[in-house]
Amino acid sequence: MSNPFLDSPDLSHHAANGGDSSSQNTKRRNPKLRSTTPLYQDDTDDEPLLGDDSLQGLSPKANRTGSSRMTATMTKRSNSSTHLLQALDGTDDTETIGTYDDFHTIDWLREMSRNRLRHRQISNRKKESFMRALKGLHDAWSGWLVVLLVGLAAGSSAGVIDIVTKWLSDLKLGVCVGSFYLSKESCCWGSTKMSASKTGEACPEWMTWAQVFGVAEGDHSSHYAVNYLIYVCVGLSFAGLAAILIKTFAPYAIGSGIPEVKTILSGFIIRGYLGKWTLLIKSIASPLAVASNLSLGKEGPLVHVAACCGNIFAYLFPKYGRNEAKKREVLSAAAAAGVSVAFGAPIGGVLFSLEEVSYYFPMKTLWRSFFCALTAAFVLRSINPFGNSHLVMFYVTYNRPWFLFELLPFSLLGVFGGLFGAAFIHANLAWCRFRANSKLGKYPICEVLVITLITTVASYPNPYTRIDASSMIAQLFKECGPVEEKNLCDYRDVSVNHTTYTNHDRPAAPLDEGVYTAIWQLVLAFVFKSVITVFTFGLKVPTGLFIPILASGSIVGRLVGIGVEQLVYNYPDCPLWASSCQAGHSCVTPGLYAMVGAAAALGGVTRMTVSLVVIMFELTGGLMYIVPLMAAAMFSKWVGDAFGNEGIYDGHIRLNGYPFLDNKEEFSHTTLATDVMRPRRGEDPLTVVTQDSMTVEDLETLVKTTSYNGFPVITSTTERRLVGYLCRRDLLIALDNSRLQENVLSNSRVYFSLNAPPAPFVVTPGEQLENNEPEPVRLFNIVDLSPITVTDRTPMEIVVEIFSKLGIRQALVTHNGVLLGIITKKDVLRHVAQLKRQDPDSILFN
């Protein structure tokens, strides 16, 4: 099957969309003005070399300048890359000139050079007038303004999504009488008949669906059946509505969005993925999907939502909207804001953007990401969607110290996290691969409904899976107090000396019947959550992964914590803890083990380290537990990497065939550039452009009969010495514009060199100059005379470093200045895949 971006970055069999010239370029220029306007100027003052009045090649207006003067001034120029960048910035045709087609990679070097040129021009013009100075001031603070707007939008969106999600989740279980739009917590906020100690007790204002429909309280079976049926039906309705909205209005609103955002930040173009429709539908579908009780979260989609906000606001500022590299600085800040509002972790969001998703992260982006995350967190705190006056989601109130002997179970939890992560990644990728290659992928809505039906039917009988995963994690993170009456805190009563205990301290005690019940319920919940998440992540609805994985890890951590607690209680004289734990005192905190287990599982699945630890202590407020979290994260990373060093997001990038070249990986093989370059033996020769021997018709035929995105420019077909590189899109625009000139015909010679001969003229009796032959077309200024080149003997490890660190789209291969071939980004990705024994043809957009 053909692929939308096959060989997108370069010259390898891609059917590119041709660029169309702008209607503004059809205007004719006054002949008198043509004779007095120089084509090129001295760029020592960084004036626009090719502005609206002198856009040679890209505009038809300037090619009529007197030939002798043109040639004399052209010889003063030495850097055609600057000419091209000036041409791209000087024209108003921003929709076609210098932009990229869908499913293409950007040229980072070219984009950054354009930005530096624009900045120099603005700086040099500040003293010309007050408006120029004001424009320079606007350019300076526009970066802070755009991230401020993104932070405000991300925080507001997250607050609304959190509130709606909580309301819809509770709607499966009941409704607030008289105020159906309130969640259970909001409904019971002011209830005076609800016991403060019995947190699980329902308030009179909140009614289950069985009570709403008048089922007698004494008929427990009917009561249970009605609530069960409505729970399943409402969940199916929410999931089906989310799937239908996405399929109808915004197909890009599916999934977590983090793999795609990570790919976009690396320089890939996916038009519409960060658009307004995607933002709207994902903001609506995420609460629906989470409330359906599917094993997913809204935290990953919040990163996508924030990135959509960043993309939309970037277009309000030409500095970012017209430059793809600068736009990605805003998107990096938006990703940080997304994690900030997802977990209430602004610092963790910045580190997540730096460690996990960003490809290019300069220092100024770090500060702006920090400011954006801060703004988003402030807005979320003002909205207070959790109703606890805290920004964090799972705030813990205990502050017991941990002891040295506990590093052993903490490390074992890290080992578990690595093993769990490796198994989960392998199983989920295998299932997604099966879905893509089978008929199942053709019926996404049916798959969503089937998985939702299985999830809701299996979840309701277990009280820990019946509630949403966030509420379950909050229960597991909490420590049992002396008046807690839930199963998880049902310890036997022991006689204590009240002079040694406070009201907030619980003595060590053996387990009672309620804890044993909670243990087997948690074991079943872990098995079910872990298995169903494998099939859920990848459905055609917004599917976040953070919360389900945190839930699975916290279950195991809580169980391990209970086990360690009972070991200490039953064997108080063990040398490991005899000196740390006082007899009769509970020195083990099971809730802390739940936190560590959650961090270990998430680290094993995503392979995050530093950002994970910071997110976890910001998420819980447990600042004193950083060392246990660090130990679990490191062991999880080590064990997980032993089974493959790619996280779940990198795995999905590879599965979907996105052209992502990780700049953190090391290439340790001994191949050479000549082993990878195209053309290879038996393939068609490289399509090239000669600098002074082709006509307009030749070039038009070339772009019509080929689909390459660029052409190397050489001296001649016999000598083949490299001159530069020519982008297809710029050539198309230049040829279209040249056809609008009076004396340019199909047989007009096109010159890509600096010294082009003047057009021949004859003198008529009226002393008027008339053109006797077709006027030549000079397109020197659209040629990049300094493309990235390597020799045929360059080691591929250096070539990979060039591609990953500089973000280039192609490199030309030469030998003693003679062009041999080309290496594209896709060639590099295929070569890396082959060396890893993967399918090189998987570098496709599925």
Side-chain angles (χ1 to χ4, degrees):
M1 182 178 293
S2 62
N3 197 280
F5 71 77
L6 184 58
D7 290 9
S8 59
D10 35 57
L11 308 177
S12 307
H13 315 295
H14 171 67
N17 296 326
D20 297 325
S21 60
S22 172
S23 60
Q24 67 168 350
N25 290 327
T26 61
K27 299 178 181 178
R28 302 287 182 176
R29 178 173 299 174
N30 189 321
K32 296 182 180 180
L33 188 60
R34 292 200 309 266
S35 62
T36 59
T37 304
L39 175 61
Y40 295 113
Q41 303 173 19
D42 183 18
D43 66 346
T44 54
D45 294 330
D46 289 306
E47 292 295 327
L49 307 181
L50 296 170
D52 290 336
D53 295 331
S54 55
L55 194 55
Q56 165 69 358
L58 290 181
S59 171
K61 306 172 183 179
N63 261 335
R64 303 183 185 180
T65 309
S67 300
S68 59
R69 182 170 182 175
M70 180 188 307
T71 305
T73 53
M74 286 176 65
T75 56
K76 298 179 182 179
R77 313 302 304 173
S78 60
N79 189 343
S80 75
S81 297
T82 305
H83 299 182
L84 176 56
L85 298 174
Q86 294 280 13
L88 297 176
D89 286 336
T91 179
D92 293 330
D93 192 8
T94 56
E95 296 300 322
T96 56
I97 296 180
T99 57
Y100 300 90
D101 291 323
D102 204 5
F103 305 124
H104 283 55
T105 52
I106 71 171
D107 191 329
W108 284 90
L109 289 180
R110 174 167 165 165
E111 295 297 301
M112 297 310 297
S113 297
R114 289 178 60 189
N115 179 67
R116 286 192 295 268
L117 183 62
R118 179 198 58 79
H119 181 71
R120 287 200 304 269
Q121 291 180 356
I122 292 177
S123 299
N124 292 337
R125 292 175 175 177
K126 282 183 179 179
K127 299 180 181 179
E128 294 181 3
S129 65
F130 174 76
M131 292 304 298
R132 294 284 190 182
L134 191 61
K135 182 179 179 181
L137 182 63
H138 170 74
D139 182 76
W141 59 264
S142 61
W144 295 100
L145 179 59
V146 67
V147 295
L148 172 65
L149 296 175
V150 172
L152 294 173
S156 302
S157 301
V160 173
I161 290 174
D162 286 337
I163 293 172
V164 174
T165 300
K166 184 62 178 175
W167 171 59
L168 293 178
S169 297
D170 290 342
L171 203 59
K172 300 194 306 298
L173 302 173
V175 66
C176 186
V177 179
S179 302
F180 71 95
Y181 51 84
L182 295 179
S183 66
K184 183 177 180 180
E185 184 179 13
S186 300
C187 182
C188 300
W189 192 264
S191 177
T192 58
K193 299 180 181 181
M194 185 174 176
S195 172
S197 62
K198 300 181 180 181
T199 56
E201 182 180 349
C203 63
E205 289 83 359
W206 180 265
M207 297 179 65
T208 64
W209 288 110
Q211 294 172 329
V212 171
F213 288 108
V215 180
E217 290 287 345
D219 190 357
H220 296 291
S221 58
S222 299
H223 201 273
Y224 184 87
V226 171
N227 287 333
Y228 197 163
L229 179 63
I230 294 181
Y231 181 91
V232 174
C233 293
V234 173
L236 286 171
S237 301
F238 287 163
L241 179 58
I244 292 173
L245 286 174
I246 288 174
K247 185 176 181 180
T248 305
F249 298 104
Y252 281 150
I254 62 172
S256 166
I258 293 180
E260 288 76 13
V261 170
K262 187 173 181 178
T263 306
I264 291 173
L265 287 174
S266 73
F268 194 55
I269 301 291
I270 307 179
R271 301 211 179 277
Y273 196 83
L274 302 178
K276 54 184 181 297
W277 275 105
T278 303
L279 171 63
L280 176 63
I281 298 302
K282 195 144 194 173
S283 299
I284 297 174
S286 291
L288 291 171
V290 175
S292 68
N293 210 41
L294 283 169
S295 186
L296 48 83
K298 62 183 182 302
E299 285 66 29
L302 280 177
V303 177
H304 188 187
V305 167
C308 291
C309 296
N311 181 66
I312 293 172
F313 282 113
Y315 282 103
L316 300 179
F317 303 86
K319 174 181 177 180
Y320 296 99
R322 297 182 183 179
N323 190 297
E324 293 293 341
K326 295 293 292 181
K327 184 191 299 181
R328 274 146 183 78
E329 296 180 13
V330 178
L331 297 182
S332 294
V339 176
S340 173
V341 296
F343 297 107
I347 301 176
V350 176
L351 293 177
F352 175 82
S353 180
L354 172 62
E355 179 183 1
E356 187 65 21
V357 298
S358 292
Y359 199 84
Y360 174 69
F361 205 83
M363 185 59 66
K364 60 182 177 182
T365 302
L366 175 67
W367 287 110
R368 287 173 181 168
S369 298
F370 182 80
F371 178 66
C372 189
L374 170 67
T375 304
F378 173 78
V379 173
L380 186 66
R381 173 63 183 84
S382 302
I383 297 175
N384 192 21
F386 306 120
N388 57 5
S389 299
H390 294 290
L391 182 63
V392 297
M393 186 183 301
F394 311 118
Y395 187 76
V396 296
T397 56
Y398 49 85
N399 55 2
R400 283 192 206 163
W402 59 275
F403 299 97
L404 190 62
F405 76 89
E406 293 182 283
L407 281 178
L408 178 60
F410 292 153
S411 301
L412 292 177
L413 282 174
V415 173
F416 152 76
L419 295 173
F420 173 80
F424 179 86
I425 291 171
H426 178 78
N428 179 253
L429 292 179
W431 174 252
C432 292
R433 194 176 295 111
F434 170 78
R435 176 194 292 126
N437 297 327
S438 65
K439 293 184 179 180
L440 184 63
K442 300 179 181 179
Y443 306 99
I445 297 180
C446 294
E447 184 188 9
V448 169
L449 293 176
V450 170
I451 297 296
T452 305
L453 179 63
I454 296 173
T455 303
T456 51
V457 169
S459 295
Y460 191 82
N462 192 331
Y464 289 103
T465 55
R466 182 186 308 171
I467 59 178
D468 61 278
S470 298
S471 300
M472 182 183 71
I473 295 171
Q475 287 188 19
L476 296 175
F477 281 6
K478 286 182 179 179
E479 182 56 15
C480 294
V483 294
E484 293 283 352
E485 295 189 6
K486 53 188 177 183
N487 283 342
L488 202 58
C489 297
D490 185 18
Y491 291 82
R492 294 180 186 176
D493 294 329
V494 293
S495 59
V496 297
N497 182 1
H498 291 282
T499 61
T500 61
Y501 290 93
T502 65
N503 291 332
H504 301 288
D505 196 8
R506 182 181 59 80
L511 304 181
D512 205 352
E513 193 68 29
V515 180
Y516 286 112
T517 301
I519 287 175
W520 71 259
Q521 289 175 341
L522 287 175
V523 170
L524 292 178
F526 168 74
V527 174
F528 173 70
K529 279 283 185 184
S530 301
V531 173
I532 202 65
T533 306
V534 170
F535 299 96
T536 303
F537 188 66
L539 290 177
K540 304 304 181 184
V541 291
T543 53
L545 191 64
F546 287 106
I547 290 299
I549 300 302
L550 287 174
S552 299
S554 62
I555 291 174
V556 175
R558 184 77 185 206
L559 295 177
V560 171
I562 293 174
V564 174
E565 180 188 42
Q566 292 304 301
L567 279 176
V568 173
Y569 173 77
N570 291 311
Y571 304 96
D573 297 328
C574 179
L576 288 176
W577 52 74
S579 60
S580 302
C581 297
Q582 197 174 1
H585 286 258
S586 178
C587 63
V588 176
T589 308
L592 171 59
Y593 285 77
M595 289 170 51
V596 174
L602 187 58
V605 173
T606 63
R607 306 297 161 83
M608 297 189 300
T609 53
V610 179
S611 59
L612 171 64
V613 173
V614 176
I615 287 174
M616 286 305 299
F617 85 71
E618 286 189 284
L619 183 67
T620 59
L623 185 61
M624 65 183 300
Y625 303 125
I626 287 182
V627 174
L629 292 172
M630 291 176 66
M634 286 309 304
F635 276 93
S636 176
K637 173 73 171 174
W638 286 337
V639 174
D641 285 349
F643 296 90
N645 59 357
E646 70 174 11
I648 186 66
Y649 299 129
D650 294 324
H652 275 269
I653 287 174
R654 178 175 55 83
L655 180 67
N656 293 327
Y658 298 134
F660 179 78
L661 188 61
D662 195 348
N663 57 4
K664 301 180 183 68
E665 288 187 359
E666 294 184 359
F667 186 87
S668 57
H669 299 276
T670 57
T671 52
L672 300 176
T674 187
D675 302 323
V676 182
M677 73 175 189
R678 300 289 185 90
R680 299 175 184 172
R681 184 173 299 177
E683 295 181 346
D684 294 334
L686 192 65
T687 303
V688 296
V689 171
T690 56
Q691 67 175 352
D692 55 9
S693 62
M694 300 187 75
T695 63
V696 172
E697 185 178 16
D698 294 336
L699 292 172
E700 289 176 340
T701 303
L702 179 67
V703 295
K704 288 179 182 179
T705 56
T706 62
S707 57
Y708 306 139
N709 290 321
F711 307 93
V713 181
I714 60 175
T715 53
S716 64
T717 54
T718 55
E719 194 175 37
R720 296 187 66 85
R721 290 199 172 273
L722 181 64
V723 174
Y725 188 78
L726 177 63
C727 290
R728 174 193 181 92
R729 193 179 186 91
D730 300 334
L731 178 61
L732 281 168
I733 298 172
L735 290 176
D736 289 342
N737 291 333
S738 65
R739 280 294 195 176
L740 300 176
Q741 300 178 55
E742 298 175 357
N743 297 324
V744 174
L745 304 177
S746 296
N747 60 341
S748 295
R749 187 72 60 88
V750 180
Y751 292 92
F752 297 100
S753 58
L754 211 137
N755 297 317
F761 286 90
V762 297
V763 181
T764 62
E767 297 295 334
Q768 293 180 349
L769 292 177
E770 291 185 0
N771 217 340
N772 195 36
E773 293 184 8
E775 183 178 351
V777 180
R778 299 167 181 84
L779 300 182
F780 163 75
N781 54 350
I782 67 170
V783 178
D784 180 7
L785 288 186
S786 57
I788 299 297
T789 60
V790 296
T791 67
D792 55 335
R793 307 303 296 174
T794 303
M796 274 303 296
E797 59 182 334
I798 297 179
V799 176
V800 172
E801 285 290 307
I802 291 173
F803 271 88
S804 61
K805 297 298 190 293
L806 297 182
I808 60 175
R809 302 205 296 175
Q810 69 280 319
L812 302 176
V813 183
T814 62
H815 179 76
N816 293 334
V818 177
L819 178 66
L820 296 181
I822 189 170
I823 297 178
T824 67
K825 185 176 181 180
K826 186 169 184 180
D827 293 331
V828 174
L829 290 167
R830 281 176 165 171
H831 183 64
V832 172
Q834 284 178 331
L835 295 176
K836 291 182 177 180
R837 297 182 180 180
Q838 299 170 356
D839 182 14
D841 293 329
S842 65
I843 312 298
L844 303 173
F845 183 79
N846 297 323

